[in-house]
Amino acid sequence: MPSPPASPRTSPRKATPPAQNRRSEAFEIRTLAAGLSALVLLLTVDLERDVTRNNREAARLRLAVAALASAWAPMLTLVAGHYAHPLHWKYVQPFAGGAGFVVMQAAGWMLHASTLCAFLVSFMNFDRALLAPPGAALVLGAAAATAQLTLNVSIDRFRATTQETLAHGEKNSALSALSGMLVGAAVALSALADRTLSI
């Protein structure tokens, strides 16, 4: 009589739950965003050195990298929020997520927009930026890092509300956010550039 087929051997290692994978990915993305914040702060500290300011090209490169890192870090927190709260997170969710989350998001995004515009204006008027008083670059870098860390920490304050509150604009939420930021930055830069040229 033939013996019954051997049952397949099951691996003793358990599969990682999808929720745990998402939390791990969210933590990695938030760590990268925090690293970019630290990079912005270090670059602006370096811009305070006379050796860096006397080398015009080196100072311009540091300012450009700081501006790019400052622009990218909050975008990473948006992606991290999606991984941390996959069922309820939306890229545009006004007045949703709890009072603490809303306050921190509002403060973080307003400070981020202000510092990013300051970075861009400084880059466009680089010769005048080199004449800024001592400590100006450091204050700008500290403000940018504060904005990014505020947005990063706000993910932990997110509290899911009803799906109906979060569902509006689901299909085009990311595009709407990007378009709004680009239009706002373009208007601000245009006004500042006109004012600078008129002086």
Side-chain angles (χ1 to χ4, degrees):
M1 183 175 182
S3 58
S7 60
R9 297 178 61 183
T10 58
S11 174
R13 186 177 180 180
K14 295 182 179 180
T16 306
Q20 186 175 348
N21 279 338
R22 285 185 169 272
R23 284 194 297 268
S24 176
E25 290 169 349
F27 176 77
E28 292 171 0
I29 296 172
R30 293 176 66 179
T31 302
L32 178 58
L36 289 177
S37 303
L39 176 63
V40 171
L41 191 58
L42 290 174
L43 287 172
T44 52
V45 168
D46 192 42
L47 282 171
E48 292 293 336
R49 300 170 59 215
D50 292 334
V51 176
T52 304
R53 290 197 176 209
N54 292 334
N55 188 341
R56 190 175 184 279
E57 292 304 320
R60 191 180 183 89
L61 177 62
R62 282 161 175 76
L63 183 62
V65 174
L68 289 174
S70 178
W72 269 105
M75 302 299 111
L76 292 176
T77 60
L78 287 176
V79 178
H82 173 72
Y83 278 94
H85 308 283
L87 298 179
H88 302 281
W89 182 272
K90 297 292 181 295
Y91 293 110
V92 178
Q93 45 190 356
F95 305 106
F101 174 78
V102 170
V103 170
M104 293 185 73
Q105 283 277 304
W109 282 112
M110 285 190 293
L111 187 57
H112 168 66
S114 301
T115 55
L116 186 58
C117 285
F119 270 122
L120 295 176
V121 171
S122 299
F123 188 78
M124 292 171 62
N125 301 275
F126 185 68
D127 292 329
R128 293 189 179 185
L130 289 177
L131 302 177
L138 179 58
V139 170
L140 181 58
T146 301
Q148 295 155 18
L149 292 176
T150 301
L151 294 172
N152 201 328
V153 174
S154 70
I155 296 175
D156 295 327
R157 305 283 296 177
F158 181 81
R159 298 294 179 267
T161 56
T162 58
Q163 190 66 25
E164 292 77 15
T165 304
L166 299 173
H168 66 87
E170 181 176 356
K171 293 182 180 179
N172 298 319
S173 59
L175 182 60
S176 301
L178 182 60
S179 300
M181 289 182 62
L182 290 176
V183 170
V187 171
L189 287 175
S190 177
L192 289 171
D194 288 343
R195 184 176 178 181
T196 302
L197 293 175
S198 63
I199 296 177

